[in-house]
Amino acid sequence: MQQKPSALPLIGVLHRSNIVPLTESEVRFEIDMCIGCDRCMRACPLPLSSQVNIADLNLATISDEIAPHVVRFTQECVMCGSCVPVCPVNNHRDLLMLSLKQRLGIAWDRHVDMARVLEYLPSGWDLARLLARLREQPMFVNPHQVPDNYLKHMLVSSKLLTLVPGSPIIQERTYGREIYFILDGRFVISTLGPHGEDMPVAMLGRGEFAGERGMLTGQQRGATVRARTAATVLEVPEQVIQRMMEVVPSVRDYFESLNDIRSIEAILQRMSLFQGVAKPDLHWLAGKMQFRTYERNAQLFTASEQHQPARETLHIILDGFVKVARVASGTIPGEMHERIIAYRQHGDYFAGGLDMLGDGKAVTATAINRVRVAEMKREDLLIILSRYPEVNQRFLHRLQEYRVMADAAQTFIGSRDLLQRTTSQVLAEAGARAGLRALVGGGVVEGTEVLVIDLDKCVHCDKCEEACERRHGHSRMNRKGMVIGNISVATACRHCQDPVCLLCSRAGIARMSSGEVYITESCIGCGICAERCPYDNISIISLEEEKDSTPSTWSRFMRFFTQGMGKEYGKRQLPMVNQMAAPGPLASHDGHGAIAEIRKKLAIKCDLCAGYSNQACVQACPTGAAFRVQPTQFFGTTEDILQQRTS
């Protein structure tokens, strides 16, 4: 067996981007150590693992004898690592699976059955015409980079929509990660005006697309896209286009570059600093910028000399939150502690590694969540400053604003109602800084629906948790969480603006257009979403344990009298949104997919009681202490938070 280079694309393992494949000698050593106990297969969450034994996998890994069911199992493996901790000889079964994946190559290179697509083609369309229209899209134009077979695989996992005039494909202020390729017809893009009226801003036609920003960032749709004529579009789910971008990196590069340019142009146009600068100059400036992405807790730069960017570089935040801090000496000699100066967000900027407070001292900037930054070089900025002297004046004026924000970063943080009912001495300065760190640094402000509890009203009866358990079979929340003033932020899904848990190659977790993040019928309980959630708000349950622990009739009878049955009670169902869920777009359509097989595990999380007329936790609270809030409305926007003061 020839050793495969590690540069091969690791399709479907984005959650383990730093993984290092085994060498040929390491593969043989691991297999020689295997004792054939099959514990790894019993721990594997894939339903198909019940039909595969370890001997089949070992043989396939070191020979050319690969049975069809092993091929399918290998392609479905999500590299979750569940097989590793149970091995009695400490084998790296996940890395052995990676080796087998690389030997099999990319699944999209194989034959694809187009029968289902051809059956539902519009009148007058055939496969050749469909592929030709897709080739009109700029990212698919090169057949050497994007073979026809890749387009066919994308087609069978997508929806071909025929629309009448007036039909919307994207609604402003909703969530969605699908992308739409226009194959025929024309569409109008509009945004809501100040009085709620539609304001047309652009037109789209054949060979163009819509929805790329939502697909890349998960943010709310910024405009409505509606058919102006009869039209035909291809609706591609996020997981499918993500798979295409994995297989063909040039497709990812195209979308990210386009989104970067559009995002920075929109920000530059809104920034007061660049008001009055002509659009051609802003477009030129956007094209000269470099873009960088930082994952959660990564440092953009540090106060140390060796990690400082050029002091004249301008950094503009496109997405996410950034913490700005300095390291100061403590009361004990030699003790150092972090002093937070401010939190920065979308649309804010830095000058090099300076905090722009006027003292010229360097700072450390750390990403709180996933952050995208545009960097403007000194020479490009100087060209704009020379053409527009008023921009330079605004830049200097910004120094004073940062001084105000630095002062506000150490003031009281709490709800507006709490501010009105308390005095200026409610929280000490240290407590106020801790509250600020919890709200922004703890990720509360990036949520869209947060369960909070007023501790002045809470009687610690746990009725909220019990109601959640009665409705869903398991409680999806814990009333205990971070405390800010008299408000406790419960441990429950916050339905973040940019949910990192949505990176699921099987489409086992998805988002409704209204914003609720929920578990779909495609979930296998691999735990990748739970691992990625930074707030521990997703749990994994074993369905076999559920079956063994089903309560008897007598215990259910007694539970009725001890815990009652209120409006929050619903029929017991699988812990997912059954009435709204659907098989994932990458699931098989041959009747042998994940839905047709027996599941072993499932992920559970709060979905805001989707499908019910109320939320069980809120409904069951006897004192009205529990309620859901949108953080930016309850606590204020990030800018409001930084500027709130006690009076």
Side-chain angles (χ1 to χ4, degrees):
M1 182 180 68
Q2 297 296 320
Q3 179 178 346
K4 299 294 183 180
S6 59
L8 286 176
L10 307 181
I11 305 304
V13 293
L14 285 177
H15 57 287
R16 301 186 66 182
S17 57
N18 297 325
I19 194 171
V20 178
L22 296 174
T23 64
E24 179 181 355
S25 60
E26 290 171 334
V27 167
R28 291 191 175 276
F29 175 79
E30 294 272 343
I31 291 179
D32 288 342
M33 291 293 293
C34 177
I35 62 175
C37 65
D38 271 339
R39 291 184 186 179
C40 53
M41 304 310 297
R42 290 195 294 271
C44 177
L46 285 173
L48 187 59
S49 63
S50 59
Q51 303 175 25
V52 179
N53 60 53
I54 197 64
D56 294 335
L57 284 181
N58 287 341
L59 178 63
T61 305
I62 58 176
S63 72
D64 294 328
E65 300 179 30
I66 307 180
H69 69 292
V70 174
V71 172
R72 182 175 161 226
F73 173 77
T74 304
Q75 293 171 349
E76 290 191 3
C77 173
V78 295
M79 300 293 293
C80 65
S82 298
C83 52
V84 177
V86 300
C87 180
V89 294
N90 296 322
N91 264 3
H92 296 85
R93 177 54 56 181
D94 56 340
L95 297 182
L96 289 173
M97 289 303 300
L98 177 62
S99 176
L100 189 52
K101 279 176 173 287
Q102 290 184 311
R103 289 192 62 221
L104 290 173
I106 299 171
W108 280 16
D109 288 331
R110 294 176 175 78
H111 172 73
V112 55
D113 185 2
M114 299 297 296
R116 295 184 72 256
V117 174
L118 298 176
E119 182 180 354
Y120 294 102
L121 282 179
S123 176
W125 286 71
D126 57 20
L127 182 59
R129 183 181 182 185
L130 192 56
L131 292 174
R133 292 295 174 89
L134 282 176
R135 290 289 180 199
E136 294 177 358
Q137 298 290 338
M139 73 294 297
F140 301 143
V141 69
N142 189 338
H144 298 291
Q145 292 181 336
V146 188
D148 280 354
N149 216 52
Y150 290 3
L151 295 180
K152 291 177 182 178
H153 274 280
M154 185 176 72
L155 283 169
V156 298
S157 299
S158 304
K159 294 180 182 178
L160 194 62
L161 306 178
T162 302
L163 306 172
V164 298
S167 302
I169 56 174
I170 292 176
Q171 290 279 10
E172 186 175 0
R173 298 180 183 177
T174 62
Y175 291 90
R177 304 193 78 151
E178 302 83 4
I179 187 170
Y180 298 86
F181 295 106
I182 302 175
L183 307 179
D184 197 18
R186 295 184 64 80
F187 288 79
V188 60
I189 303 177
S190 62
T191 61
L192 293 176
H195 303 293
E197 73 279 11
D198 271 345
M199 299 178 59
V201 294
M203 294 288 295
L204 293 175
R206 172 178 152 183
E208 297 182 291
F209 53 88
E212 73 285 353
R213 175 167 170 77
M215 179 267 294
L216 288 172
T217 68
Q219 301 294 326
Q220 276 187 325
R221 305 289 199 181
T224 295
V225 181
R226 196 182 304 273
R228 188 170 184 178
T229 66
T232 302
V233 300
L234 184 70
E235 178 187 280
V236 184
E238 176 210 3
Q239 287 79 13
V240 180
I241 194 65
Q242 289 287 350
R243 181 64 57 91
M244 175 67 81
M245 291 190 293
E246 286 182 78
V247 176
V248 188
S250 62
V251 175
R252 178 181 298 278
D253 294 341
Y254 176 87
F255 281 121
E256 289 185 347
S257 176
L258 179 68
N259 183 60
D260 286 338
I261 295 297
R262 289 180 175 177
S263 297
I264 191 59
E265 284 186 351
I267 289 176
L268 291 176
Q269 290 174 12
R270 292 195 300 266
M271 288 175 64
S272 58
L273 177 64
F274 293 102
Q275 292 303 304
V277 177
K279 285 188 177 181
D281 286 336
L282 290 179
H283 182 73
W284 171 84
L285 194 59
K288 301 288 287 185
M289 289 185 171
Q290 295 183 343
F291 301 88
R292 302 182 188 276
T293 300
Y294 299 88
E295 294 299 325
R296 186 181 300 268
N297 297 324
Q299 290 185 332
L300 282 69
F301 42 78
T302 69
S304 60
E305 291 289 336
Q306 62 269 30
H307 294 105
Q308 277 297 303
R311 295 168 75 87
E312 299 84 0
T313 303
L314 192 69
H315 300 258
I316 301 176
I317 302 175
L318 302 180
D319 293 296
F321 295 95
V322 173
K323 176 181 67 176
V324 183
R326 284 182 180 156
V327 176
S329 300
T331 56
I332 302 175
E335 180 188 34
M336 307 296 289
H337 64 86
E338 182 183 71
R339 182 171 68 89
I340 297 176
I341 296 174
Y343 289 96
R344 306 282 164 76
Q345 61 177 327
H346 167 83
D348 218 330
Y349 58 91
F350 304 86
L354 309 181
D355 61 10
M356 298 181 63
L357 294 178
D359 56 11
K361 294 182 180 179
V363 297
T364 296
T366 306
I368 294 173
N369 53 6
R370 188 159 44 189
V371 172
R372 188 76 171 159
V373 177
E375 297 180 0
M376 185 187 305
K377 293 183 178 179
R378 174 180 182 272
E379 53 267 29
D380 299 327
L381 179 59
L382 288 178
I383 292 175
I384 295 296
L385 295 179
S386 64
R387 293 181 186 176
Y388 302 93
E390 65 273 20
V391 175
N392 188 45
Q393 293 298 320
R394 296 186 193 123
F395 191 82
L396 295 175
H397 178 70
R398 182 65 163 158
L399 296 178
Q400 179 59 35
E401 294 183 6
Y402 273 107
R403 294 190 186 99
V404 174
M405 293 183 72
D407 293 337
Q410 300 185 40
T411 59
F412 171 78
I413 298 299
S415 69
R416 292 191 178 94
D417 180 63
L418 187 60
L419 284 173
Q420 293 171 357
R421 294 188 283 109
T422 56
T423 67
S424 60
Q425 301 300 319
V426 171
L427 293 178
E429 181 180 336
R433 288 199 302 271
L436 173 60
R437 186 186 297 238
L439 282 174
V440 186
V444 177
V445 294
E446 67 173 304
T448 61
E449 289 284 345
V450 178
L451 178 63
V452 299
I453 298 174
D454 187 340
L455 296 179
D456 291 341
K457 297 180 179 179
C458 180
V459 294
H460 312 289
C461 62
D462 288 332
K463 294 295 184 183
C464 50
E465 294 183 28
E466 293 172 2
C468 184
E469 181 181 358
R470 284 195 297 272
R471 173 168 287 181
H472 303 295
H474 287 267
S475 178
R476 305 177 180 183
M477 61 154 293
N478 184 336
R479 66 173 176 81
K480 298 177 182 178
M482 68 172 67
V483 177
I484 306 164
N486 74 324
I487 296 296
S488 172
V489 180
T491 302
C493 180
R494 302 171 183 174
H495 304 271
C496 300
Q497 299 175 38
D498 180 18
V500 295
C501 59
L502 286 182
L503 185 64
C504 179
S505 60
R506 298 181 61 91
I509 185 169
R511 188 170 209 161
M512 301 178 196
S513 60
S514 51
E516 298 94 329
V517 179
Y518 69 104
I519 304 300
T520 77
E521 285 280 4
S522 295
C523 175
I524 60 171
C526 67
I528 293 174
C529 58
E531 179 184 338
R532 290 183 60 83
C533 176
Y535 312 117
D536 298 324
N537 288 330
I538 302 178
S539 301
I540 306 298
I541 63 169
S542 171
L543 295 184
E544 293 181 0
E545 293 176 2
E546 284 287 286
K547 191 180 302 183
D548 296 339
S549 62
T550 301
S552 64
T553 303
W554 174 253
S555 63
R556 290 197 301 268
F557 177 76
M558 291 303 298
R559 182 175 179 177
F560 170 80
F561 283 98
T562 57
Q563 296 188 11
M565 179 186 292
K567 294 181 180 179
E568 77 283 348
Y569 197 95
K571 70 173 184 178
R572 183 181 171 88
Q573 42 186 306
L574 288 177
M576 56 179 68
V577 188
N578 282 325
Q579 60 270 47
M580 298 184 182
L586 301 183
S588 301
H589 297 284
D590 58 1
H592 299 287
I595 307 304
E597 297 171 329
I598 300 175
R599 288 188 182 86
K600 297 180 180 180
K601 298 178 181 180
L602 281 173
I604 59 171
K605 63 175 293 299
C606 171
D607 55 29
L608 299 178
C609 288
Y612 292 91
S613 60
N614 57 54
Q615 295 175 0
C617 55
V618 176
Q619 173 76 20
C621 181
T623 63
F627 53 99
R628 288 274 180 177
V629 301
Q630 293 186 357
T632 55
Q633 294 181 6
F634 184 71
F635 296 107
T637 64
T638 305
E639 187 172 336
D640 293 336
I641 291 172
L642 294 175
Q643 294 178 352
Q644 284 182 23
R645 298 174 180 274
T646 56
S647 57

